[in-house]
Amino acid sequence: MTWVDTRLKHLCVDSGQYGLNISAEQYSSSGVRLIRTSDIASNGALKASTTGVFVDVPLEQRHRLLPGDVLLSRSGTLGRSFLVPVEGSGQSFAGFLIRFRPRGGVDPRYIYYATQSSPFQEAVHSEAVSSTIQNFNADRYANIPLRAPGAEEQRRIADFLDAETARIDRLTQLRSQQGDLLDTRFRLALDKAFENPKYEPTKLKYLLAVKPRYGVLVPQFSDAGVRFIRVNDLLDLAGRADSLAKIPDILSAQYARTVTRPGDVLLSVVGTMGRSAVVPPQLAGANVARAVASLRARQGVSPELLATWLTTPSFLRQASDVTASDTAQPTLGMEDLANFRLSWPDDERGRDELLEITSTIRRYQRELTRVLEAQRRVLAERRQALITAAVTGQLDVTTASERNVTDGVTA
């Protein structure tokens, strides 16, 4: 078996083709599907067409995909790749993707797996460090070194990796399903904790010192200024404190009512509902995005307990009810939010007991989530290691195919 050192462009008919340069305003409800970087999952799978977009404009042939084309992302999810299946024939692709079309005698699957290998990914990210993502172009991809065997061995390697990565992807999917089930069960447990008949029914506004407020509309970002909290930052607010985007001081001053104080409760209220976080001391003086509401608990109300209730099914049901008629992104109005109903202990002892119960539930949730995340990371690492070994000649797939390379990973 002979392997040759080559470059991506020498295995393809050209040095890459940029995608269609089209704005979101030109998207259509039907027509030709336009594949974007955000449509490609981390394992290279294409997300469901129900989440995709379409274009209804004349397309040049160079912007039409053929089965076996390989798409590579040049922005955001840099290095992510997608192998166009038979059913993708005739679809198009967006400008932040580059299409590489394998030449005759080259197995497209081999190129696709080679782009997921450690050497290829390391080359991409090494190049990106020395330039800017905007300048990571087709030529840079085209000149990344690869190792390639003959056509027959490429096919054997691709067949082997098809089978083994499918097995790993199935295990990863099962871990994700377990995570979803755990999340549902823990949310229900939190909901039940608040349903104690001894608690008094009330409205959210009576637990707040001031009315809930939307944050900054259409911010201008800057290199220096006030730290700016967006919806995704609520997933790990304390951990992201040093890497938050910034907006000019003068812009933040125009939205003085949502400048944060330690203990403020932040809640996602546009699109994604139910993400909440308590502002830590190190984020005093920050500001929040329009899609984030700022809630300031009155004295005697635990911000942590309030943030917990905002993740429960009870809150989400009420949010769904008042946004059901929204034709675009669901947006929760502040007046509606203020009038949401909940049960709340009216004495300090009851609040302390409820906080202890919910804190215990959330601690178990975090611990089990960490376990599942660790297992997903191991599976992802094993997947890439397997691909790397196969496409660099370190693994003889004719003998490896006789054993289970996922031994030790439980279903």
Side-chain angles (χ1 to χ4, degrees):
M1 178 174 60
T2 302
W3 289 70
V4 296
D5 294 320
T6 184
R7 295 183 185 274
L8 177 59
K9 63 184 178 183
H10 298 314
L11 300 174
C12 299
V13 299
D14 56 27
S15 294
Q17 170 63 53
Y18 292 103
L20 189 64
N21 188 11
I22 191 169
S23 66
E25 288 74 20
Q26 294 175 277
Y27 293 164
S28 172
S29 59
S30 62
V32 175
R33 181 169 184 183
L34 182 74
I35 299 175
R36 304 161 296 171
T37 56
S38 58
D39 294 324
I40 302 172
S42 58
N43 66 350
L46 187 65
K47 297 177 183 177
S49 59
T50 53
T51 65
V53 299
F54 301 84
V55 292
D56 190 11
V57 296
L59 294 173
E60 297 180 45
Q61 196 58 39
R62 64 195 176 104
H63 289 135
R64 295 268 188 182
L65 293 170
L66 295 178
D69 285 350
V70 176
L71 297 178
L72 286 164
S73 172
R74 67 185 182 98
S75 181
T77 52
L78 188 63
R80 188 165 291 184
S81 60
F82 172 65
L83 178 64
V84 178
V86 172
E87 57 269 25
S89 181
Q91 294 179 348
S92 192
F93 57 109
F96 285 117
L97 289 167
I98 304 171
R99 184 218 70 212
F100 285 91
R101 181 164 291 164
R103 61 178 173 81
V106 174
D107 194 313
R109 296 173 300 159
Y110 181 83
I111 291 184
Y112 167 66
Y113 284 122
T115 63
Q116 296 184 17
S117 68
S118 295
F120 189 93
Q121 290 294 318
E122 288 167 4
V124 169
H125 292 285
S126 175
E127 286 277 323
V129 168
S130 61
S131 63
T132 63
I133 289 180
Q134 288 75 14
N135 288 333
F136 200 93
N137 53 28
D139 186 61
R140 289 179 181 271
Y141 269 128
N143 281 289
I144 292 179
L146 294 176
R147 295 198 74 214
E152 183 60 27
E153 184 63 14
Q154 289 180 29
R155 184 192 63 76
R156 279 197 292 268
I157 290 172
D159 287 345
F160 169 78
L161 290 176
D162 280 349
E164 296 302 334
T165 58
R167 188 177 302 175
I168 293 174
D169 290 344
R170 175 56 179 160
L171 290 172
T172 302
Q173 182 185 34
L174 289 172
R175 293 297 176 268
S176 295
Q177 291 173 351
Q178 287 176 325
D180 291 341
L181 288 171
L182 281 172
D183 184 65
T184 299
R185 293 191 67 173
F186 279 119
R187 286 179 184 270
L188 290 171
L190 291 170
D191 220 18
K192 187 174 181 179
F194 281 93
E195 290 176 355
N196 193 316
K198 296 186 296 183
Y199 300 161
E200 290 295 322
T202 187
K203 291 184 177 180
L204 179 60
K205 62 185 176 182
Y206 299 130
L207 304 179
L208 304 179
V210 295
K211 293 180 179 179
R213 306 288 186 183
Y214 286 121
V216 179
L217 181 64
V218 192
Q220 301 168 357
F221 295 104
S222 60
D223 293 332
V226 174
R227 284 177 292 182
F228 187 66
I229 300 169
R230 293 172 284 185
V231 169
N232 283 343
D233 298 322
L234 302 182
L235 294 170
D236 182 20
L237 192 53
R240 299 186 185 190
D242 295 330
S243 59
L244 295 174
K246 293 182 175 64
I247 59 174
D249 296 85
I250 190 170
L251 179 58
S252 180
Q254 296 172 18
Y255 293 83
R257 291 182 294 183
T258 50
V259 171
T260 58
R261 299 180 189 175
D264 283 353
V265 178
L266 305 181
L267 171 70
S268 57
V269 291
V270 178
T272 301
M273 300 285 174
R275 286 184 187 170
S276 66
V278 178
V279 175
Q282 64 266 37
L283 281 177
N287 216 319
V288 302
R290 170 72 172 177
V292 176
S294 178
L295 291 76
R296 186 160 294 158
R298 64 173 173 79
Q299 188 173 4
V301 173
S302 164
E304 289 76 16
L305 198 53
L306 181 57
T308 296
W309 181 78
L310 293 169
T311 68
T312 63
S314 175
F315 164 80
L316 294 172
R317 282 192 297 270
Q318 293 180 72
S320 178
D321 288 344
V322 299
T323 61
S325 61
D326 290 356
T327 56
Q329 268 196 323
T331 301
L332 187 56
M334 295 298 94
E335 189 64 30
D336 288 326
L337 176 61
N339 284 292
F340 277 17
R341 295 182 176 275
L342 69 156
S343 296
W344 196 263
D346 61 357
D347 62 282
E348 185 176 356
R349 181 178 178 181
R351 290 191 291 270
D352 288 344
E353 289 177 349
L354 180 57
L355 181 59
E356 183 178 354
I357 293 169
T358 57
S359 295
T360 299
I361 293 171
R362 298 194 77 171
R363 184 175 67 255
Y364 283 129
Q365 182 180 21
R366 287 192 297 270
E367 290 172 356
L368 288 173
T369 299
R370 278 197 295 270
V371 170
L372 289 175
E373 285 294 333
Q375 292 179 354
R376 282 195 287 264
R377 283 195 300 273
V378 168
L379 287 167
E381 290 166 2
R382 183 169 295 192
R383 187 183 196 276
Q384 187 177 54
L386 182 66
I387 290 171
T388 298
V391 301
T392 57
Q394 301 172 57
L395 176 66
D396 183 354
V397 301
T398 58
T399 57
S401 60
E402 298 300 322
R403 60 188 174 86
N404 182 4
V405 297
T406 56
D407 281 344
V409 182
T410 56

